[in-house]
Amino acid sequence: MKRAAKTDNHASTRPEAPLTHDVFNQVPPLTGHDVSADPALVGGVKREDADWALGELRTLGTLAGSARAQEWGRLANECPPVLRTHDRYGNRIDEVEFHPVWHELMAVAVGHGLHATPWASPRPGAHVARAAKFYVWSQVEAGHGCPISMTYASVAALRHTRALASEWEPLLVSRNYDFGLRPAAAKRGALAGMAMTEKQGGSDVRANATKAEPLGDGTYAITGHKWFNSAPMCDVFLVLAQAPGGLSCFLLPRVLPDGSRNAMRIMRLKEKLGNRSNASAEVEYEGAVAFLVGEEGRGVRTIIEMVNMTRLDCVIGSAAGMRYGVTQAVHHTSHRKAFGREIAEQPLMRNVLADLVLESEAATAVMVRLAGATDKAIRGDTGEGALRRTALAAAKYWVCKRAPAHAAEALECLGGNGYVEESQMPRLFRESPLNGIWEGSGNVAALDVLRSTAKEPETLDAFFTEVGLAAGGDHRLDAAIREAKDSLTDTATIEYRARRVVEGLALVLQASLLVRHSHPAVADAFCASRLDPGRGLAFGTLPSGLDLDSIIDRATMKIA
């Protein structure tokens, strides 16, 4: 006999839960677009000999704009790396464990050649194409760009020692992402990191105390510590240490050719403001085996090749963050209503949005120009190399300095929604100060400009030749160039005034590029707002009479 089914005698009398409200006036997610559909980026790529890469850039941009890739970025930051110092049996392993999405992000970056691939390409514009891809993919997630950037930069330093370059460069330029600690001979691809900073020194690397003792077979034993070791899960590192001949640069692999782990101990991972997806560590070396790169006593000169390349990526990363922030701000305010109409149609918000676009476009324009100068300098153009020497340090100072203020203003455009983690704007804000600190904080970058112009006057000549190409294009720019030149004449106070001097140089460089190459509305508004001594200091203080429609439209993403 079947049992009767149980019934709820009260079901028919229970009232339905009332609907308290309808959900409306909420902004749809910004997905299904091509992140590379950026007029400032595309125009620059074409000018700098990399138009052949536009198809690859669109493919990557479409992936970057997908909901899948954006979810990778979210998870990589919500599930940060974990240090495993020992295995279950008590053996020291010093391994860093990542969420699977980290490896997805890395595989895309390596597979698309965002790391060291341009070094293997004879094609003009290869470094520009790589910079454009790095800019696009960084808008998905910034943290994994650290090992990608250092791998790119490491080749420049390694080429000081041909034998090391011939061994490691094929692995570093490979498009195979091959995670895991194994000897170089067992790897299909490798990643590089760096370790310069120590507890007592910070930017003053000459205060480093780590020792390098020659072992008599061409190798050295490294003993000491590093306060910041970027991306300690990499296969090989460039390390500064004191050799008998002075501060020197060394290549230190994680795994030795016989398969044993090198004596590099990861003490802990840093708890950082942002960049949470990426591991940054304190390490100790207990007689770790390393190989000399360059000559003893010339470590700073050797590793500065790497630093200059990563400084370029600091500019690219900050420009990418600005672009991400302003596209989110324009998208949100274009879909959200207040006081009877879209927020983006409110006059004051239009002022803010247009101002954010100007800052973003100027950063993108100078980023692509510096990538072009880098590409040409690597191919032997001394004039472009001289321009890069001053312009890169000036842009590193200014673009990276502007990023936090830009991120804060873009976040504010979303109101309270922007302060909530789900919007991803807090992640952008936390990330925004990093590039201003990495590879020399603001003061270091500003003083580097002064040193380069004093010791190498040809770099200043190259700089003013470049900005002079826009002469006569805007009277405000002409006046600002004269003022920038005058600011360099009082050498007695120039170090005290370094930030203001370098700000002026960076602004005339950005303005000259916009006057020559950007939409006339962008160039006009930038010169009116950035080169006017009486300008407002906050975003959203543009003067009247500007073509804001044309400016804002350049940050409006088209959803597929």
Side-chain angles (χ1 to χ4, degrees), residues 326 328-336 338-339 341-357 409-415 539-542 548 552:
V326 72
Q328 291 291 332
V330 170
H331 176 76
H332 181 91
T333 57
S334 297
H335 289 83
R336 180 86 165 174
F339 309 110
R341 55 178 169 168
E342 282 81 11
I343 299 173
E345 295 302 315
Q346 310 283 355
L348 188 53
M349 180 56 76
R350 284 164 47 77
N351 195 323
V352 172
L353 294 174
D355 214 353
L356 291 173
V357 175
E409 196 69 58
L411 182 155
E412 189 176 325
C413 290
L414 277 66
F539 285 107
T541 56
L542 296 177
L548 302 190
I552 296 171

Side-chain angles (χ1 to χ4, degrees), residues 218-229:
T219 64
Y220 290 72
I222 307 295
T223 302
H225 74 276
K226 293 295 175 183
W227 190 232
F228 276 98
N229 179 276

Side-chain angles (χ1 to χ4, degrees), residues 82-434:
V82 176
L83 173 62
R84 306 294 185 194
T85 57
H86 296 77
D87 67 13
R88 60 182 293 189
Y89 304 107
N91 299 307
R92 188 86 194 221
I93 57 174
D94 294 287
E95 293 192 3
V96 182
E97 185 178 288
F98 291 88
H99 191 281
V101 297
W102 167 272
H103 300 298
E104 298 280 7
L105 292 164
M106 291 293 292
V108 171
V110 173
H112 283 265
L114 276 64
H115 59 313
T117 299
W119 295 102
S121 173
R123 195 168 193 176
H127 291 267
V128 178
R130 179 260 168 195
K133 292 177 184 178
F134 190 80
Y135 170 91
V136 165
W137 193 239
S138 293
Q139 293 180 54
V140 174
E141 202 285 315
H144 79 289
C146 177
I148 296 296
S149 178
M150 291 186 298
T151 302
Y152 170 61
S154 67
V155 175
L158 273 182
R159 288 186 171 181
H160 284 271
T161 300
R162 185 172 300 177
L164 291 175
S166 64
E167 177 185 359
W168 283 96
E169 194 168 320
L171 291 172
L172 295 172
V173 305
S174 168
R175 291 201 181 201
N176 293 300
Y177 174 59
D178 190 3
F179 183 79
L181 298 180
R182 296 184 297 281
K187 301 277 289 189
R188 295 178 298 115
L191 297 173
M194 74 167 82
M196 294 191 292
T197 306
E198 297 187 5
K199 297 183 182 76
Q200 72 283 354
S203 297
D204 183 11
V205 295
R206 295 191 184 278
N208 282 6
T210 297
K211 299 295 183 183
E213 179 184 355
L215 295 177
D217 61 355
T219 64
Y220 290 72
I222 307 295
T223 302
H225 74 276
K226 293 295 175 183
W227 190 232
F228 276 98
N229 179 276
S230 299
M233 68 288 180
C234 289
D235 301 285
V236 67
F237 298 89
L238 288 174
V239 177
L240 288 178
Q242 297 287 354
L247 189 63
S248 306
C249 181
F250 296 90
L251 183 77
L252 191 152
R254 283 295 311 276
V255 180
L256 299 174
D258 64 3
S260 62
R261 301 287 175 92
N262 209 350
M264 170 182 159
R265 312 302 184 204
I266 304 177
M267 308 310 291
R268 63 169 176 163
L269 299 184
K270 297 285 194 181
E271 293 283 345
K272 297 171 294 185
L273 169 66
N275 206 245
R276 294 178 178 178
S277 68
N278 179 46
S280 301
E282 295 170 29
V283 301
E284 296 280 351
Y285 307 116
E286 301 173 354
V289 176
F291 303 84
L292 181 65
V293 181
E295 302 174 24
E296 277 196 14
R298 297 175 68 83
V300 174
R301 183 176 291 273
T302 300
I303 211 166
I304 201 69
E305 298 286 348
M306 186 174 187
V307 170
N308 279 332
M309 304 308 296
T310 45
R311 276 187 173 182
L312 173 61
D313 280 5
C314 289
V315 178
I316 298 172
S318 290
M322 289 187 197
R323 177 66 181 179
Y324 177 85
V326 72
T327 55
Q328 291 291 332
V330 170
H331 176 76
H332 181 91
T333 57
S334 297
H335 289 83
R336 180 86 165 174
K337 289 185 177 180
F339 309 110
R341 55 178 169 168
E342 282 81 11
I343 299 173
E345 295 302 315
Q346 310 283 355
L348 188 53
M349 180 56 76
R350 284 164 47 77
N351 195 323
V352 172
L353 294 174
D355 214 353
L356 291 173
V357 175
L358 295 180
E359 198 69 41
S360 172
E361 284 229 6
T364 302
V366 77
M367 173 272 286
V368 180
R369 180 65 185 95
L370 289 171
T374 298
D375 191 86
K376 296 179 182 71
I378 289 170
R379 299 176 195 284
D381 189 324
T382 56
E384 290 289 287
L387 169 65
R388 175 174 171 263
R389 179 72 181 90
T390 293
L392 178 56
K396 163 68 170 72
Y397 167 76
W398 183 242
V399 174
C400 298
K401 187 65 66 182
R402 294 291 283 167
H406 191 277
E409 196 69 58
L411 182 155
E412 189 176 325
C413 290
L414 277 66
N417 292 308
Y419 206 69
V420 175
E421 287 291 338
E422 289 175 328
S423 74
Q424 305 304 321
M425 297 301 278
R427 188 178 77 189
L428 173 69
F429 184 63
R430 288 192 298 267
E431 196 75 27
S432 62
L434 176 60

Side-chain angles (χ1 to χ4, degrees), residues 449-471:
V449 173
L450 301 190
R451 293 189 190 101
S452 71
T453 56
K455 293 180 179 179
E456 305 170 74
E458 68 275 11
T459 65
L460 198 59
D461 293 339
F463 180 90
F464 282 112
T465 297
E466 171 72 17
V467 299
L469 295 174

